[in-house]
């Protein structure tokens, strides 16, 4: 069993960083998809189309 750690940074702490939407998207999943050569989910593909 694992216990909460006192030095834990919740993923929501990312919201405080001055990142563009593209940078935030890469950090929150697109980099991992690319690294493991996984297909891009349709929900992310649709966001890419909306940005263009």
């Amino acid at each position: 069993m694992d216990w909460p750690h006192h030095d834990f940074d919740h993923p929501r702490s990312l919201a405080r960083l001055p990142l563009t939407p593209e940078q935030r998207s890469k950090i929150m999943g697109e980099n991992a998809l690319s690294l493991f050569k996984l297909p891009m989910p349709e929900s992310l593909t649709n966001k890419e189309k909306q940005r263009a």
Side-chain angles (χ1 to χ4, degrees), residues 29-46:
E30 289 180 16
N31 288 336
L33 291 171
S34 177
L35 177 68
F36 293 108
K37 298 178 181 15
L38 297 172
M40 183 75 67
E42 283 187 37
S43 60
L44 291 178
T45 306
N46 292 338

Side-chain angles (χ1 to χ4, degrees), residues 5 8 12-13 16 20 23-25 28 30 38 41 44 48 52:
H5 301 279
F8 168 76
R12 277 186 250 146
S13 63
R16 291 181 272 159
T20 66
Q23 291 170 325
R24 191 175 310 278
S25 185
M28 296 301 283
E30 289 180 16
L38 297 172
L44 291 178
E48 288 296 320

Side-chain angles (χ1 to χ4, degrees), residues 3-23:
W3 302 98
H5 301 279
H6 69 279
D7 60 347
F8 168 76
D9 289 329
H10 195 278
R12 277 186 250 146
S13 63
L14 182 65
R16 291 181 272 159
L17 296 176
L19 300 171
T20 66
E22 291 83 13
Q23 291 170 325

